[in-house]
């Protein structure tokens, strides 16, 4: 039977300790300084965590309150504000952008003819960032309004014909910011605070770098090129006239609140009709024979299993972020990382996969073990061949390989045979399906060893303490 959001939230809350454990394993394995993540189901935040460091150069620990630059998430806020104005009858999706930015009509009639809808769906053919976009690597400041207009009216501003190809454009979304100012008579940041941020009570979200809160931001970090061991800190900068495309900051928790406002049935920001329009496939993204992706009006679209997801990523110098939401099932996952090679999308998809694995568990039988009794078998175990996890997901024990970026790729259900023995399910596989998992318990009731199909593993710290001696070889 389909589960209600409250029932899904209960399953997710039970799985949350393992979700956090998996995230921390991935963070350490991938050498990410810090990861902030949140999962919301319905009106409940079932996971809100911060792992690792806010700043590697100082050793400052990351908290759930640290602010991240969420970059192109800004486009979803801009698109939401545009759709609000459309619903209020103050703007039309098929208005030419030149109607609201007169300088375009004067200097570049072809650009002025591009419509609001085409800019929202990246169908205008507009240049991405301009001929000199080294502001993305801090060689010079982001453009002001005059610099933006100079880029938008240059001879190469339209790379493709209108509706010829999907072409992602920060310049296009920055022009939408100017259009919002023209319609409302307010600065972009002021209007977005009033129309979206304050309406949702997002205390840790804003449309642009806020110097007054400089101490609250997680530091950005460089990537690890060629196996480097040390990252450098990257300072925060103002995105100026490109804030509508890339200026926002937030926290993972605030982003789940914002995502929830895009659930079907929640009309705090937009009508359901307006939200459906935003997440309808507006553009097909296909090249070199790959499977097509799609983009709506301000939202990236994807289908994973039974889930139809909408969301956005963000890439800012030093911060890589991703939020996905299932608007019908009322699930939001947001993952924020503070390095330019941060695997935010991989981690967000992994959390969704684990949640779906928990939700796929069959309804427990009347005589099913109490989850509290099953919890004693859970943990992370290490051997020369890596680590294995026994996790409690959906009221059942599951054997997982936490190093996989897609944790649902290789797993087996475990059943209890007695107080020290589990049995791996009988299924095709390259591991040891159908074989026993045998626990050795210490005096304090915790496992000192676990044998998976005959291979002995230990708690991670215990294995690391014995590893050097173990690899020296067996006695002769």
């Amino acid at each position: 039977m389909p589960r209600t959001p409250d029932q899904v939230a209960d399953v997710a809350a039970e799985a949350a300790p393992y979700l956090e454990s998996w995230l921390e394993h991935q963070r350490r394995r991938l050498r990410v300084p810090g990861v902030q993540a949140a999962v919301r189901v319905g009106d409940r935040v079932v996971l809100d965590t911060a792992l690792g460091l806010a700043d590697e150069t100082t050793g400052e620990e990351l908290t759930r309150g640290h602010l991240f630059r969420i970059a192109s998430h800004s486009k979803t806020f801009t698109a939401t504000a545009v759709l609000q104005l459309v619903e209020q009858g103050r703007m039309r999706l098929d208005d030419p952008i030149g109607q609201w930015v007169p300088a375009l009509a004067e200097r570049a009639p072809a650009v002025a003819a591009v419509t609001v809808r085409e800019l929202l769906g990246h169908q205008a053919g507009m240049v991405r960032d301009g001929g000199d976009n080294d502001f993305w690597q801090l060689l010079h400041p982001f453009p002001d309004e005059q610099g933006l207009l100079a880029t938008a009216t240059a001879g190469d501003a339209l790379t493709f014909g209108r509706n010829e190809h999907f072409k992602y454009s920060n310049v296009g979304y920055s022009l939408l910011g100017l259009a919002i100012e023209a319609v409302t008579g307010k600065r972009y940041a002021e209007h977005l605070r009033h129309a979206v941020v304050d309406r949702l009570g997002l205390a840790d979200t804003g449309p642009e770098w806020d110097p007054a809160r400089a101490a609250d931001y997680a530091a950005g970090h460089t990537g690890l090129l060629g196996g480097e061991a040390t990252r450098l800190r990257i300072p925060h900068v103002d995105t100026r006239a490109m804030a509508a495309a890339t200026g926002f900051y937030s926290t993972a928790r605030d982003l789940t609140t914002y995502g929830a406002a895009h659930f079907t049935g929640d009309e705090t920001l937009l009508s359901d009709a307006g939200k459906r329009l935003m997440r309808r496939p507006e553009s097909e993204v296909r090249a070199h024979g790959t499977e097509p992706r799609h983009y709506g009006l301000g939202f990236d679209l994807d289908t994973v299993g039974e889930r139809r997801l909408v969301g956005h990523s963000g890439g800012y110098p030093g911060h890589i972020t991703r939020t996905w939401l299932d608007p019908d099932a009322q699930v939001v996952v947001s993952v924020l990382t503070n390095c330019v090679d941060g695997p935010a999308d991989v981690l967000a998809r992994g959390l969704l996969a684990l949640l779906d694995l928990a939700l796929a568990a069959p309804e427990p039988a009347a005589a099913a073990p109490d989850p509290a009794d099953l919890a004693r078998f859970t943990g992370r175990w290490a051997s020369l061949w890596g680590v294995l996890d026994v996790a409690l997901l959906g009221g059942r024990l599951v054997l997982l390989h936490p190093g996989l970026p897609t944790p649902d790729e290789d797993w087996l259900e475990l059943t209890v045979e007695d107080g020290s023995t589990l049995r791996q399910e009988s299924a095709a596989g390259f591991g040891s399906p159908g074989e026993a998992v045998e626990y050795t318990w210490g005096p304090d009731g915790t496992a000192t060893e676990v044998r998976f199909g005959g291979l002995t593993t230990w708690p991670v710290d215990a294995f690391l303490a014995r590893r050097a001696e173990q690899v020296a070889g067996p006695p002769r």
Side-chain angles (χ1 to χ4, degrees):
M1 296 291 292
R3 290 182 171 94
T4 66
D6 281 343
Q7 291 170 325
V8 173
D10 288 340
V11 173
E14 179 194 71
Y18 181 71
L19 268 60
E20 184 174 40
S21 174
W22 178 82
L23 269 178
E24 174 62 0
H25 181 75
Q26 288 283 326
R27 184 192 72 80
R28 289 176 175 271
R29 187 180 72 85
L30 299 171
R31 299 163 65 191
V32 180
V35 174
Q36 193 185 82
V39 178
R40 181 183 294 267
V41 180
D43 58 2
R44 290 168 57 186
V45 177
V46 297
L47 177 68
D48 184 12
T49 189
L51 306 167
L53 300 177
D55 189 338
E56 277 197 350
T57 65
T58 65
E60 180 186 359
E61 292 188 1
L62 185 67
T63 70
R64 293 175 297 175
H66 272 104
L67 308 178
F68 282 71
R69 305 301 291 275
I70 58 171
S72 287
H73 280 74
S74 306
K75 295 178 176 69
T76 73
F77 287 85
T78 298
T80 298
V82 168
L83 266 292
Q84 288 175 333
L85 295 174
V86 170
E87 291 193 335
Q88 294 162 14
R90 302 170 71 184
M91 175 188 279
R92 296 184 310 143
L93 287 175
D94 293 323
D95 284 344
I97 189 63
Q99 177 178 334
W100 301 110
V101 187
L104 297 176
E106 299 167 5
R107 296 157 59 180
V111 175
V114 167
T115 68
V116 169
R117 184 194 304 271
E118 289 164 348
L119 291 172
L120 287 170
H122 298 291
Q123 284 287 343
M126 181 74 66
V127 67
R128 190 185 197 277
D129 290 291
D132 179 1
N133 58 81
D134 279 334
F135 46 83
W136 280 114
Q137 53 180 341
L138 280 63
L139 291 181
H140 52 77
F142 275 75
D144 59 12
E145 182 174 333
Q146 291 307 310
L148 169 65
L149 289 172
T151 297
T153 56
D156 59 355
L158 293 180
T159 307
F160 298 132
R162 293 162 56 191
N163 302 300
E164 182 181 0
H165 292 293
F166 173 89
K167 181 168 175 51
Y168 193 80
S169 176
N170 287 315
V171 172
Y173 262 79
S174 300
L175 293 178
L176 289 171
L178 297 183
I180 289 171
E181 293 184 347
V183 174
T184 65
K186 298 177 181 178
R187 300 298 294 173
Y188 172 82
E190 180 186 1
H191 179 72
L192 266 289
R193 284 192 178 280
H194 167 74
V196 180
V197 175
D198 292 345
R199 191 175 296 186
L200 296 177
L202 303 179
D204 291 320
T205 301
E208 183 52 278
W209 160 248
D210 184 354
R213 299 193 66 179
D216 297 335
Y217 287 80
H221 297 85
T222 57
L224 296 178
L225 300 179
E228 286 180 300
T230 304
R231 296 182 188 271
L232 303 179
R233 176 176 176 152
I234 303 176
H236 291 278
V237 296
D238 194 321
T239 61
R240 304 172 80 190
M242 298 189 79
T246 193
F248 264 78
Y249 67 84
S250 191
T251 63
R253 184 185 181 101
D254 262 15
L255 283 172
T256 68
T257 301
Y258 169 66
H262 282 274
F263 288 164
T264 300
D266 187 318
E267 300 199 350
T268 307
L269 297 179
L270 287 169
S271 70
D272 276 349
K275 294 196 296 290
R276 284 193 294 269
L277 188 59
M278 289 185 71
R279 58 188 188 238
R280 186 178 69 188
E282 180 74 16
S283 302
E284 181 180 84
V285 189
R286 184 199 292 265
H288 307 303
T290 59
E291 287 297 312
R293 296 173 53 194
H294 294 91
Y295 196 92
L297 299 181
F299 275 121
D300 194 9
L301 313 179
D302 200 5
T303 299
V304 178
E306 297 297 315
R307 293 194 184 279
R308 296 187 63 188
L309 301 174
V310 300
H312 222 290
S313 59
Y316 178 86
H319 287 179
I320 302 295
T321 55
R322 164 60 84 176
T323 300
W324 283 116
L325 62 128
D326 181 336
D328 294 326
Q330 298 190 4
V331 175
V332 193
V333 172
S334 186
V335 175
L336 315 181
T337 64
N338 59 345
C339 54
V340 297
D341 51 0
D345 187 59
V346 170
L347 298 180
R349 289 176 184 274
L351 291 178
L352 281 167
L354 288 169
L355 177 57
D356 285 343
L357 186 56
L359 291 170
E363 291 293 327
D370 189 299
D373 295 331
L374 296 178
R376 67 193 294 261
F377 292 101
T378 63
R380 178 163 294 140
W381 319 102
S383 74
L384 185 62
W385 292 98
V387 292
L388 293 171
D389 282 353
V390 175
L392 185 60
L393 297 175
R396 60 177 174 168
L397 293 172
V398 179
L399 174 62
L400 293 158
H401 298 264
L404 294 176
T406 50
D408 60 339
E409 180 182 318
D410 188 3
W411 62 277
L412 290 170
E413 187 169 351
L414 304 169
T415 54
V416 179
E417 291 200 342
D418 58 44
S420 297
T421 309
L422 307 177
R423 180 69 57 180
Q424 300 176 62
E425 69 173 293
S426 297
F430 288 93
S432 52
E435 299 182 33
V437 178
E438 300 164 306
Y439 284 69
T440 299
W441 303 104
D444 63 354
T446 62
T448 58
E449 295 181 357
V450 184
R451 291 173 65 85
F452 291 89
L455 180 72
T456 305
T457 66
W458 298 265
V460 175
D461 288 344
F463 173 69
L464 291 175
R466 60 174 288 128
R467 181 172 61 178
E469 180 180 353
Q470 181 174 327
V471 299
R476 298 182 181 180

